[in-house]
Amino acid sequence: MTDKDFTFTIDGASVTAQPGQTIMEAADAAGIYIPRLCDHEGLRHQGSCRVCTVKAAGRSVAACTQPAAPGLVVESETPHIQAMRKSLVEMLFHEGNHICPVCEASGNCELQAMAYRLGMVEPTKLPYLEPTRPVDASHPGIALDTNRCISCGRCIRASEDVDHKGVFGYCGRGIHRRITVNGEDLAHTDAAVSDHAISGGVCPVGCIIVKRVGFRLPIGARAFDRQIIGEAIEEKRR
Amino acid sequence: MAEPRLIEISPVTRVEGHGKVTIHLNRDNEVEEARLHVVEFRGFERFIHGRFYWEVPVIVQRLCGICPVSHHLAGAKAMDQIAGVDVLPPTAEKMRRLMHYGQVMQSHVLHFFHLAAPDLLFGFEAPAARRNIFEILREQPELGRRAVLMRQFGQEIIEATAGKKIHGTGAIPGGINRNLPIDVRDRLLARIGEMTAWAQEALAIARNYTLDHAALVADFGSFPSNHMSLVREGDGALDLYHGRLRAIDAEGGSLFDGVDYCDYHKLLVEDVRSWSYMKFPFIRELGPESGWYRVGPLSRMNTARFIDTPLANAAHRELRAVTGGAPNNATLASHWARMIEVVHCVEKIHALLIDPDLQGTDLVATGERRCEGIGVIEAPRGNLIHHYRVDENDQITFCNLIVSTTHNNEGMNRAVKDVAVKHLSGREKITEGMLNQVEVAIRAYDPCLSCATHALGQMPLAVELLDASGQLVDRATRGA
């Protein structure tokens, strides 16, 4: 701890933070997991999925973008906030076409893992919107199945900030917003399998696919077969 | 004189999927028509269009919860061809075979003990409340326990090879995604002696029933037919995973033999009829009237020259001796055939478990991408054909599935009519027990109706508009 470091609390636990750190960054360092989908290590924060919503000094804020502050009182795992997070995740399932039983991302999918963590174990009362969304398989090594996109924007930031290509972007507004590419189709962009946005584990779901490798990882060896999402962060605290 | 009657058995019970039987009785209470209708619709052949080829083995296994492995492997075999792979690494082929033998074993055990045995043990006309697995567990608890544990063993073989007992991911284009760890192998091997003994006892039950009820078996839903299956290339042995197509007629004469299954479409044609979602395949050269055929355990006993495991081979010989070496056409003999295959599967599982190739690490082969793939396998219920075309973007553009139950469609309908005519015709009072006899005939084929209906837009349709008094107002038809 340096002179400039300060402390605040998350659900009553004292957390040390450095100036400029977000609530989530400080929580991660302290071994406290705050659920998130649009945030990803190494990418700039966006604060759009709202799954990381916490109450800080009584206000609802995105933990991934809200700076920590000395003496701040943060509530994260309250029943109300957990229920809200679960509802957000449920709505993502209802908004897209997520067929987990046949999806190659199953077991590695952060959306699926988050649903398990938050206890989404039964059908909800929301209607499935079953949108008609395109599958772009034009690229020889990459496919884009937007049925599974949750508009987290991680690929956009990875392509812009890490790959310096800007292959991905949003189009449409509101509920119709979806991911698109900066060309007629994926084959007409400079996307490459080696891009961080493609092979860097950036896409949290099964939307961005490296072709012909699906299901090579056996059940039991997938990311969330042995650990629930967030457990790696929580292990720091044990 | 009585009014004409329509008797409906709906749903047909103790089978997989949804179907019904209709029996038309005329004014003299004689059976005029009896049909098995498949009234559910799945549509896999169409909605798989646009999906990626490496997803196929995982998607198509969702056709079924009883024999998903069959679809998983048939799809994977087709995708091997798409991936340009003709020969798998030994570890991959043997892991797939192990998965398949576990699957056939558990499916056959499920069918025999849970679905069919109540009829055989308690009588076709026993009270409906007794004709179920729970009554077996009450009356013969040790037998019931073994049925459950044998099925568990088969499911654990599947889990060891596919990652899950139902709907795993083991087979991938060109190979397999896992080998068999030593500790898992040893755990399974520890139970193989028990499984072998229990399989032989199950075989004895089916054999003794068939021989003790020879007159019934010879008469009940028994009729001459052609038979078709894969057999091992070269020696014609029973091979449930791979081989060449062989078909024989009712007397055992060869219709075709040694045929590369990629040419199935040159030999087989699928007919459609207005009253069922299930297609009616037949041998092209013989036409729809005489070209229909049966598949499944009994057909495999008829087409295979021998079985390459000793216990099953001895049983095969005994079954064949009943008909003097000629094909056995008795529907109820299917149960005996099915239990011979359970013994065969346990023997094969044992041989594979002690094969060090299962611990190999060369799991996937690669080749030059092709645009068409056909996978054929002998599923528990019979021959299973998967046929796909894939475009340059790796997406499916064509899918044709001929499922075991579809192959048996005509045979099951003949069996239904045969039993209905023999047991219902001329009877004014039809009892539930009599109707169960019709279901017994269907059950002998172990149909999986949910697997069998896929082709959207090909079925002939007839829509009739009736007014309140039942008078026909309008009629629209499409197709045949």
Side-chain angles (χ1 to χ4, degrees), chain A residues 101-104 135-140 143-145 147-148 209-220 222, chain B residues 50-55 58-59 62 162-164 167-170 172-173 177-178 364-366 369 392-395:
Chain A
V102 297
C103 178
E104 64 184 83
V135 175
D136 183 348
S138 59
H139 192 284
L144 202 58
D145 185 345
N147 288 290
R148 302 162 180 166
I209 301 164
V210 176
K211 284 184 168 184
R212 297 175 287 278
V213 297
F215 304 105
R216 290 209 169 194
L217 209 54
I219 293 171
R222 303 172 304 183
Chain B
R51 296 314 312 173
F52 300 111
Y53 76 80
W54 54 91
E55 294 178 332
V58 175
I59 293 177
R62 294 278 167 173
K164 283 167 66 185
H167 300 142
T169 65
I172 55 177
N177 67 13
R178 63 174 65 226
V364 183
T366 53
R369 209 10 197 94
E392 67 278 8
N393 290 334
D394 299 327
Q395 292 172 289

Side-chain angles (χ1 to χ4, degrees), chain B residues 8-154:
Chain B
E8 194 169 288
I9 306 172
S10 180
V12 175
T13 58
R14 282 183 281 138
V15 298
E16 291 91 26
H18 250 62
K20 69 173 182 179
V21 169
T22 56
I23 302 166
H24 299 255
L25 298 175
N26 65 17
R27 289 175 186 279
D28 297 321
N29 290 321
E30 289 166 342
V31 173
E32 284 200 330
E33 190 59 78
R35 287 170 171 166
L36 169 64
H37 307 252
V38 179
V39 293
E40 63 174 308
F41 181 73
R42 304 297 300 283
F44 273 73
E45 286 181 343
R46 182 58 67 93
F47 66 65
I48 201 164
H49 286 194
R51 296 314 312 173
F52 300 111
Y53 76 80
W54 54 91
E55 294 178 332
V56 164
V58 175
I59 293 177
V60 294
Q61 67 178 338
R62 294 278 167 173
L63 276 160
C64 192
I66 306 293
C67 61
V69 167
S70 308
H71 294 290
H72 182 60
L73 293 177
K77 286 177 77 176
M79 294 312 119
D80 293 341
Q81 293 181 1
I82 298 291
V85 175
D86 293 315
V87 180
L88 298 181
T91 303
E93 166 147 349
K94 289 176 182 177
M95 283 291 285
R96 286 191 189 182
R97 280 184 176 271
L98 181 61
M99 191 193 306
H100 191 44
Y101 293 125
Q103 155 71 18
V104 176
M105 177 195 174
Q106 72 82 17
S107 176
H108 279 357
V109 168
L110 169 76
H111 175 261
F112 184 66
F113 287 106
H114 296 65
L115 306 183
D119 297 320
L120 309 182
L121 294 176
F122 307 129
F124 297 175
E125 298 199 32
R130 291 190 68 208
R131 299 193 310 256
N132 54 62
I133 183 68
F134 301 107
E135 189 68 8
I136 292 179
L137 285 164
R138 262 192 296 272
E139 292 225 347
Q140 301 192 40
E142 181 55 23
L143 187 67
R145 191 180 77 89
R146 288 177 184 184
V148 171
L149 292 178
M150 285 177 77
R151 181 150 189 266
Q152 179 203 35
F153 182 77

Side-chain angles (χ1 to χ4, degrees), chain A residues 98-119:
Chain A
H98 299 280
I99 320 290
C100 298
V102 297
C103 178
E104 64 184 83
S106 218
N108 292 309
C109 173
E110 292 180 35
L111 179 66
Q112 183 190 49
M114 194 62 73
Y116 281 126
R117 181 178 175 108
L118 296 174

